[in-house]
Amino acid sequence: MLSSSLDQVITFGRTMQTIVDLLRQSVDRWGQFPALSMYDTPGSSLTYAELWDYARRVATYLHDQGISKGDRVVLWGANRPDWVAAFFGIQMLGAIAVPMDVRSREDLLERISEQTNPKHLFLGDEQQRSLTSDHGPVTRFEDVRGITDSLEPFAVDQTAADPGDTAELVFTSGTPGNPKGVILTQQNIISNVKMAMTAVNPTPKYRCVSILPLSHMYEQTGGLLTVLAGGASVTYLATLRPDIILKAMTDVQATTMFCVPQVLELFQRGIEREIRRQGREKIFNRLHAAALRLPFRARRPFFRAIHQKMGGSFEFFLSGGAYLYPEVGRWWEGIGVKVLQGYGMTEASPILTSATLTDRDVSSVGKPLPGIELRFAEDHEILVRGANISPGYWNDPIATSLAFTDDWYHTGDLGYLDENGRLHLHGRKKNMIVLANGMNIYPEDVERVLMAEPEVKNAVVLGLDADRDVEIHAVLLLDGDNANPAEIIKRSNQQLNPHQRIRNYTVWPDENFPLTPSLKVKRIDVIERLAELRAPAASAASE
């Protein structure tokens, strides 16, 4: 078992017990500093003091609508300062936020509404226009500032919320018809902010460009609350086109970004395409190999043009939500950009482990944060507990009892600690493939080998029933029409152990795999689609 003591945490504001406390203390310290803005949108910027007043006016508006402590309020729309003001306004009343991913559909809103009975909904214009039926009182995010400008700021009560009160309900996918609402208390979230600040202590010099949805706890806890706790600023984007992201990074001179690994891969490929277009690939590769042998601070000058393309001030990415291929992390580290990988889940508010600016290993997900206790079950499943761990699922005692043993949460992930105390992940317990001879295959291990092939954009490895055995089957998302999947499988199998080798494959016909909000592949959807793709072949074979 590994246990880290909170005695080592550098506490930010010992009186910071709730989300409203966090914002109040930041206003006291950095009232006139920039807090939030919408890129390329004049008049959207808010200082910390202005955000505080805006949130208080939203609280007044909600209070006038009959919202009180414990009532649920849905937040469904794209990232923008108004989303944040609404979130804080909800907290000021002691109400409960119910964030939904911007790409959700009305049927998910219906299922969540059945479970939570929301009293009010904040929706983006696009989300409101997608509705086909009435779901209760609705306010568009685009209208919030105009509606609340003339209202008196709410008199925020210090006792509006207690640390043990529910702050929000975050719904995970669960089964298609039964999303699970993760209960996150004020203490869960604030304790995780304090933990995160020991890994990266933000300051007013940090400028973040936000690209992950605020409904995702990694962005909310890391890219919003932790950032605001340190006096830094956040810029939101109306579009996530790579060229617009890079332009925003340049214009705001961004220093950091919270992202998923796919973003790092997309940026890397874009830079490499430009290098090839200029005919400088061999020169770049030689410089990169040499740079990796130099002290970190000596690497940036060799790649000045790339850094200027990113604004000239960018220092580090914080990567989470999915597996980061070590070679991608090393590529960025080689050009002088730090990559801090972390690990967590919604039930942990969400961060459990993280690298730091001074302690990084791109092959691991870092060390447990102070206050996190971690141990392993006999099958190597990771169990965790700490002040940031959810008390359970909303109105679902069965799901709660299945997920917890005493106060230990079963993550469903498999892993181990190395000799330096860093956590390494094997993959998901439920994804593990068990062969007929009893040998275990971690599909993520096979997928990493496939992903090393240049023509493979993404891959999913599954165990399919075949003649009283299990067939290791690869589903390949290929880059370009000239890729040879048979050769890819052949080369990959040469690097795999005999029991891991791929017996069959399918080339995915769509532009991308079905993805979760954090850009993880939805394996269940892949399996269902694969059955459809294989059905005609099976039917033809039987004729």
Side-chain angles (χ1 to χ4, degrees), residues 387-439:
N388 59 319
I389 303 299
S390 164
Y393 300 101
W394 181 257
N395 292 336
D396 197 339
I398 295 176
T400 300
S401 65
L402 291 173
F404 289 84
T405 298
D406 297 325
D407 53 352
W408 289 94
Y409 174 68
H410 292 252
T411 67
D413 292 314
L414 303 169
Y416 67 93
L417 291 174
D418 65 20
E419 64 276 10
N420 296 309
R422 299 189 184 102
L423 181 65
H424 297 255
L425 300 177
H426 267 314
R428 293 289 293 169
K429 182 177 178 179
K430 65 182 180 182
N431 295 340
M432 188 172 67
I433 301 167
V434 182
L435 302 180
N437 61 7
M439 297 192 76

Side-chain angles (χ1 to χ4, degrees), residues 237-247 267:
L237 307 177
T239 177
L240 296 182
R241 279 173 34 193
D243 59 326
I244 299 298
I245 296 173
L246 285 171
K247 188 174 186 302
F267 282 177

Side-chain angles (χ1 to χ4, degrees), residues 121-234:
L121 295 85
F122 285 104
L123 305 182
D125 177 67
E126 181 180 343
Q127 286 69 38
Q128 185 187 35
R129 286 188 284 106
S130 73
L131 299 183
T132 59
S133 58
D134 181 32
H135 296 273
V138 169
T139 302
R140 294 192 325 151
F141 284 115
E142 291 82 355
D143 299 331
V144 174
R145 191 174 294 198
I147 291 172
T148 61
D149 265 346
S150 61
L151 300 178
E152 287 294 319
F154 190 74
V156 181
D157 187 344
Q158 286 281 140
T159 61
D162 294 321
D165 289 346
T166 300
E168 57 186 306
L169 302 174
V170 184
F171 280 81
T172 60
S173 54
T175 59
N178 183 35
K180 294 188 297 184
V182 179
I183 300 169
L184 293 178
T185 67
Q186 300 281 340
Q187 181 189 41
N188 290 156
I189 296 168
I190 290 302
S191 67
N192 205 226
V193 170
K194 292 179 180 179
M195 293 172 182
M197 292 182 76
T198 67
V200 178
N201 190 19
T203 70
K205 77 172 185 178
Y206 286 140
R207 296 172 296 278
C208 305
V209 171
S210 173
I211 61 172
L212 297 180
L214 280 164
S215 56
H216 191 290
M217 285 308 298
Y218 186 50
E219 181 66 19
Q220 193 186 121
T221 296
L224 175 66
L225 297 177
T226 303
V227 167
L228 294 185
S233 61
V234 185

Side-chain angles (χ1 to χ4, degrees), residues 257-458:
M257 179 186 292
F258 288 77
C259 65
V260 292
Q262 189 178 62
V263 171
L264 295 175
E265 295 169 21
L266 289 173
F267 282 177
Q268 177 187 344
R269 289 173 183 169
I271 293 169
E272 288 176 332
R273 278 196 300 269
E274 179 62 19
I275 291 169
R276 286 194 296 271
R277 189 188 68 79
Q278 296 176 7
R280 298 176 59 85
E281 187 173 12
K282 289 184 179 179
I283 295 173
F284 173 84
N285 290 339
R286 286 199 298 268
L287 284 175
H288 191 270
L292 284 170
R293 296 191 293 268
L294 296 174
F296 186 85
R297 64 182 179 278
R299 299 174 187 176
R300 290 177 72 97
F302 290 99
F303 307 99
R304 186 171 286 108
I306 295 175
H307 287 278
Q308 289 303 316
K309 188 75 173 176
M310 299 173 66
S313 301
F314 198 84
E315 297 180 22
F316 60 96
F317 288 105
L318 298 111
S319 175
Y323 179 76
L324 172 69
Y325 291 96
E327 55 269 24
V328 175
R330 280 192 288 271
W331 188 92
W332 285 101
E333 291 273 340
I335 67 170
V337 175
K338 297 177 180 178
V339 178
L340 280 62
Q341 189 176 187
Y343 161 69
M345 66 275 307
T346 301
E347 287 85 349
S349 308
I351 310 169
L352 290 166
T353 71
S354 179
T356 71
L357 291 172
T358 56
D359 183 1
R360 304 184 309 284
D361 173 6
V362 293
S363 69
S364 82
V365 291
K367 297 177 180 178
L369 295 176
I372 299 294
E373 291 183 80
L374 182 151
R375 73 180 187 187
F376 300 92
E378 289 185 6
D379 60 0
H380 304 292
E381 181 184 7
I382 302 165
L383 278 61
V384 293
R385 68 179 178 186
N388 59 319
I389 303 299
S390 164
Y393 300 101
W394 181 257
N395 292 336
D396 197 339
I398 295 176
T400 300
S401 65
L402 291 173
F404 289 84
T405 298
D406 297 325
D407 53 352
W408 289 94
Y409 174 68
H410 292 252
T411 67
D413 292 314
L414 303 169
Y416 67 93
L417 291 174
D418 65 20
E419 64 276 10
N420 296 309
R422 299 189 184 102
L423 181 65
H424 297 255
L425 300 177
H426 267 314
R428 293 289 293 169
K429 182 177 178 179
K430 65 182 180 182
N431 295 340
M432 188 172 67
I433 301 167
V434 182
L435 302 180
N437 61 7
M439 297 192 76
N440 296 332
I441 306 294
Y442 302 109
E444 291 83 358
D445 291 342
V446 183
E447 289 163 2
R448 288 163 200 162
V449 173
L450 289 167
M451 286 294 291
E453 293 286 329
E455 301 95 341
V456 178
K457 292 171 62 177
N458 209 343

Side-chain angles (χ1 to χ4, degrees), residues 54-108:
Y54 188 5
R56 290 174 64 198
R57 291 195 299 273
V58 173
T60 296
Y61 173 68
L62 289 173
H63 182 266
D64 292 346
Q65 301 294 314
I67 306 301
S68 59
K69 185 170 183 174
D71 289 336
R72 275 76 67 193
V73 179
V74 167
L75 296 163
W76 183 22
N79 292 5
R80 54 189 299 141
D82 314 277
W83 194 108
V84 179
F87 175 78
F88 280 116
I90 293 166
Q91 302 303 319
M92 288 173 175
L93 294 174
I96 299 172
V98 185
M100 285 180 53
D101 181 71
V102 65
R103 293 170 293 185
S104 299
R105 299 184 305 185
E106 186 176 12
D107 59 342
L108 179 61

